[in-house]
Amino acid sequence: MNNTFHGNVREATKEFPPEGQTTGMEMTWIIAHLCLLGCILHSLNEADAVSEFELDGDYLIGGLFDIHHVSKGLHRDKPETITCSSQPFILSSYRRFQLMRFAIEEINNSTKLLPNVTLGYKILDLCSDTQNFPGVFNLISDESLIQPWNDSQRLTSKMVTVVGSYTSTGTLSVAPLFMMDFFPMVSYGAASSVFSRKNNFPSFLRTVHPNKDVIEVVLRILREFNWRWVSFLHIDDDYGRDGRDLFIRTLEHTEFCLAYTKALDHDTDYYEVFQQITSLEVNVLIVFAPEWTAEDLVEAAIKYDVTNKVWIAGDAWSLHKELPKRNGIRKIGTVVGIAEPKMAIPGFNAFINAFRAQTQEEDGTEEKFCSQACNCSNHTAADIIDADPSFNFPVYSAVYSVAHALHTVLQCETGKCNRRITGIPHMILQELRKTNFTLLNQSVQFDENGDPSFGSYAIVFWNKSGEPEEVGLYSYHSSLPFIINRTKIQWHGNGSVPQSICSEECDAGFAKKQEGLYKCCFSCTKCESGTYINSTADPYTCHKCDNTEWSEAGSTSCYRQQEDYMPLSHGGAVVVMLGALIFMGLCAAVSVLFFINYKTPVVKSAGGPMCFLILGCLALSSLSVFFAFGEPTTASCVLRVLPVIFFSTVCLACFAVRSFQIVCIFKIAARFPNIPSWWMKYKGQWLVICVTCISQAVLLIIGLTVFTPHPQIDTERHPDIIIQRCGRNFNEVFGSLILILLLIILSFCFSYCGKDLPKNYNEAKSITFCLLLLIIIWIIYATVYTLYRGKYIHFIYGMAVLSSLYSFLSWYFLPKCCIIIFQPQKNTQQYFQCLIQSYTKIVNQ
């Protein structure tokens, strides 16, 4: 334009006549040329007028900012574009828009990053998600041709990257146009997780954290204050729905419940929304929405008198400048928000002040896109500076990321850039993926998905002064990621942390029983004895203790049951074993006494040599009690029954034979004289005893081999104690007990037949009395064993064995010992002959 202007001036002046030769016609030509010069100068001033939306440069960066926003659905009768300047103005977005302009001017004024290269921009007001395509096509075309990129265009177009846009839905609408040619797109606000899919969005990067990172911070806040019963309100677009889906998936394996969720749009019935929240008694509201939706929601809460709630604000509206100062905002409750830490950008305030100080003139005749008209001159520099600073650093870092990538592509390391390099957009994309530089003490990098691997989130609280006050921090890639100062938060109500739960937590030892659809709503049931609950692993199930463990009702763990058996050192065991030793000593003493008086009538009438067999078997039977104590083993289980059963059988066989002999001598011999002679000839007593012993031995071997008793634990009668005992089902001794019972019956029969025999020969009465005591003792033991099976059952068993053995010794042998020692006159042959003769006379009479 300037060259044209100078050429026209030369053309207009070379025909001027020399000085002093001016004529009327010439004066007319001079005036005409002066008028032409004035028009050209006026056109020059218009062409050089500064535009907020466009700046020429060697390379252009596209910008997508929603300076205005279509808040409600537009009803159209014909296809037409939207006049963005007629829609509601978003001051915070305008601030971000100015920040991109500032960043480019700052880069152009620097001699280090792009020394001999100037950056320009072409910015669109993306006020609608679906109806801004004329402006978008203008960005991806050249010389006003609306067509996709082609090879020649890649070489000639100055546009190298697009920064934006702010909303996820707006980005989804236009991103495919850039993705098909791998044209770099760096968003500062689109947080939907869909953009992390590189198969669908290969040339998309962003300097704002995706939704999953914000949801992670929300979960940290919920866990910090134990808010388990929450609602999730979100804008009904791609950003909000993605946040809701991520939140629901995040809660699947946690202790938190989503009681209510609602998508918000311009037709939402907020009264019904708050009625639902109130009926569910939800006290925590997570609001995942942009600032214009949050404004409608909060104003509705004030209007419908919603009080005493906790509002968790997403990063899109937590630093709102106007809402914290609205009338009635205090009564809605406490607002805790997630935001980017406030970061001052040096020089930006001065840039805004200087920009607003300039006289803004707009050319009404110049044809512009409707998305490049602002009508925002009524906002002062202070308004812009004080606007919501959210997403300012993402804009700033996005522009600088492009500049650093362009610095590498143009080989500017030498202090001068190589402007002859072509194919810039695709090469910039490769360098953007490898971005690694420091900006305002922040290391700017991207991960493999194009998401930022830098930055942090501040936890803010809307204080009583109407300012978002920073009370905590969440840092990524830090050893201490989450910090929050509870004391700075001034809670509504009584000042304590509000609760938001469906059911009170169960006390220790109680299991939860879910009621309804929500796991946070439950009743509590006390775990029974023998069960426990591990609330950390499974708070809904009372688990049964192992066989060797026990627990009281309402326990959170099991303890090992006390093993209960009577050790050898126990007082009862010592008494029984001492009694057995004394018994053995008595048996030995009686044996010695009988051996000394072996040929006397008393010893012969008692059985003669058979007495020694009986005494020996009684002594050996007492060995069983020594195996009744201590921790049971298989050997001890066998030996505590084997001696007493086998040797008792021998004793009973001897008594049965002895009873038969007494009856045979005095009664059977008179009627059947051949029987005694046969009995004596073939030594019938020893034959019967041998057969009985062999039979019992065989029965015991078979029974104990097939049904070997093993140690068992008994927890049925005393579940808190493990009673160590020998497993016994009587199969192993069933045959042996039948044989013993048969011997007892025979002994009773023979003894009864001899009840009227002479006193000195009346061993039958002693045998009968001993057998009665034996039966009574073991009936008592069987009764006690049925009713009680504690550790003292071993002591009772030992006492039963000793009692039965002592009864034989006391009532069969001790009376004879008394005669031998204290009444020797009765231990003579003449005394016994007189008794027999007297009995014969009585019988004959």
Side-chain angles (χ1 to χ4, degrees), residues 463-717:
N463 59 29
K464 293 182 179 180
S465 302
E467 295 293 334
E469 179 182 348
E470 188 170 323
V471 296
L473 187 69
Y474 183 91
S475 300
Y476 295 95
H477 313 291
S478 172
S479 58
L480 191 62
F482 185 74
I483 302 173
I484 191 166
N485 189 347
R486 289 167 165 252
T487 60
K488 287 188 176 182
I489 303 176
Q490 301 167 359
W491 301 104
H492 61 267
N494 59 7
S496 60
V497 178
Q499 286 191 334
S500 187
I501 55 176
C502 183
S503 299
E504 290 285 348
E505 279 300 305
C506 295
D507 294 333
F510 285 76
K512 296 178 181 179
K513 182 180 180 181
Q514 183 172 323
E515 295 181 348
L517 299 175
Y518 302 102
K519 60 184 177 183
C520 292
C521 303
F522 49 82
S523 58
C524 299
T525 305
K526 192 174 186 178
C527 291
E528 298 177 350
S529 56
T531 64
Y532 73 99
I533 184 167
N534 185 347
S535 298
T536 304
D538 182 8
Y540 297 92
T541 306
C542 294
H543 299 280
K544 190 175 182 181
C545 296
D546 294 339
N547 292 334
T548 59
E549 295 181 330
W550 181 250
S551 67
E552 301 297 334
S555 296
T556 56
S557 62
C558 296
Y559 58 87
R560 183 169 178 81
Q561 293 167 303
Q562 181 181 357
E563 294 185 359
D564 199 12
Y565 59 87
M566 185 172 288
L568 294 172
S569 59
H570 191 274
V574 172
V575 169
V576 171
M577 290 187 292
L578 185 60
L581 292 174
I582 293 173
F583 179 79
M584 291 180 181
L586 291 175
C587 288
V590 173
S591 298
V592 171
L593 183 62
F594 273 37
F595 180 77
I596 295 172
N597 299 275
Y598 180 72
K599 294 184 178 181
T600 60
V602 171
V603 175
K604 290 181 178 179
S605 65
M610 196 176 293
C611 293
F612 300 104
L613 177 61
I614 295 173
L615 288 170
C617 289
L618 290 176
L620 292 174
S621 295
S622 66
L623 291 174
S624 293
V625 300
F626 292 97
F627 301 99
F629 306 106
E631 185 175 358
T633 62
T634 301
S636 66
C637 289
V638 172
L639 292 176
R640 70 178 53 180
V641 297
L642 179 61
V644 69
I645 290 179
F646 179 76
F647 293 112
S648 294
T649 302
V650 177
C651 292
L652 290 174
C654 292
F655 286 132
V657 168
R658 185 62 187 151
S659 300
F660 173 77
Q661 285 179 327
I662 295 171
V663 174
C664 181
I665 292 172
F666 287 96
K667 292 192 174 184
I668 297 178
R671 298 180 183 179
F672 305 99
N674 293 327
I675 292 179
S677 60
W678 180 85
W679 181 267
M680 296 298 294
K681 179 181 179 180
Y682 294 101
K683 300 186 182 297
Q685 68 273 24
W686 298 112
L687 181 62
V688 171
I689 292 172
C690 288
V691 171
T692 303
C693 292
I694 293 172
S695 301
Q696 186 64 287
V698 172
L699 291 173
L700 285 172
I701 292 172
I702 294 174
L704 294 174
T705 302
V706 177
F707 305 102
T708 305
H710 295 287
Q712 290 183 354
I713 57 174
D714 184 3
T715 58
E716 295 180 1
R717 298 178 182 270

Side-chain angles (χ1 to χ4, degrees), residues 583 585-598 600-607 611-612 615 618 760 763 766 806 808-827 832:
F583 179 79
L586 291 175
C587 288
V590 173
S591 298
V592 171
L593 183 62
F594 273 37
F595 180 77
I596 295 172
N597 299 275
Y598 180 72
T600 60
V602 171
V603 175
K604 290 181 178 179
S605 65
C611 293
F612 300 104
L615 288 170
L618 290 176
N760 280 31
E763 286 87 358
S766 299
Y806 269 103
F808 282 110
L809 183 65
S810 300
W811 296 103
Y812 188 80
F813 289 101
L814 288 185
K816 296 173 175 55
C817 291
C818 290
I819 292 175
I820 295 173
I821 297 172
F822 301 109
Q823 295 176 334
Q825 70 277 8
K826 294 181 180 181
N827 190 18
F832 272 78

Side-chain angles (χ1 to χ4, degrees), residues 721-740:
I721 300 175
I722 298 177
I723 299 176
Q724 296 274 16
R725 62 182 181 86
C726 294
R728 188 173 299 161
N729 54 14
F730 294 102
N731 289 331
E732 67 271 21
V733 294
F734 181 75
S736 300
L737 294 178
I738 293 297
L739 180 57
I740 289 175

Side-chain angles (χ1 to χ4, degrees), residues 758 832-845:
F832 272 78
Q833 288 294 332
C834 290
L835 290 176
I836 293 172
Q837 290 174 2
S838 298
Y839 175 77
T840 304
K841 290 179 181 180
I842 293 172
V843 172
N844 292 333
Q845 290 177 357

Side-chain angles (χ1 to χ4, degrees), residues 3-128:
N3 292 336
T4 304
F5 164 68
H6 291 296
N8 291 335
V9 171
R10 286 193 297 270
E11 291 291 329
T13 56
K14 67 181 181 179
E15 297 181 1
F16 285 177
E19 184 179 357
Q21 300 181 6
T22 303
T23 64
M25 181 64 70
E26 292 169 346
M27 287 299 298
T28 302
W29 276 103
I30 293 173
I31 294 172
H33 282 88
L34 289 174
C35 291
L36 177 61
L37 177 61
C39 292
I40 293 173
L41 290 173
H42 179 69
S43 299
L44 177 63
N45 290 333
E46 287 183 349
D48 289 342
V50 177
S51 171
E52 288 186 83
F53 291 88
E54 293 187 20
L55 177 68
D56 195 16
D58 297 320
Y59 299 97
L60 300 182
I61 300 177
L64 303 175
F65 293 84
D66 51 345
I67 301 172
H68 300 84
H69 178 69
V70 179
S71 58
K72 296 183 179 180
L74 297 178
H75 302 283
R76 299 176 298 155
D77 297 327
K78 59 181 180 179
E80 58 184 352
T81 189
I82 295 176
T83 303
C84 289
S85 58
S86 64
Q87 301 302 316
F89 179 74
I90 309 298
L91 185 58
S92 59
S93 290
Y94 185 65
R95 189 184 199 274
R96 292 188 282 269
F97 162 81
Q98 294 294 346
L99 194 60
M100 177 175 173
R101 297 180 61 242
F102 165 72
I104 291 178
E105 180 178 295
E106 190 176 52
I107 293 169
N108 287 338
N109 290 335
S110 171
T111 58
K112 294 181 180 180
L113 194 56
L114 297 172
N116 62 323
V117 171
T118 59
L119 289 179
Y121 53 78
K122 193 170 186 179
I123 304 176
L124 300 179
D125 182 3
L126 199 68
C127 60
S128 171

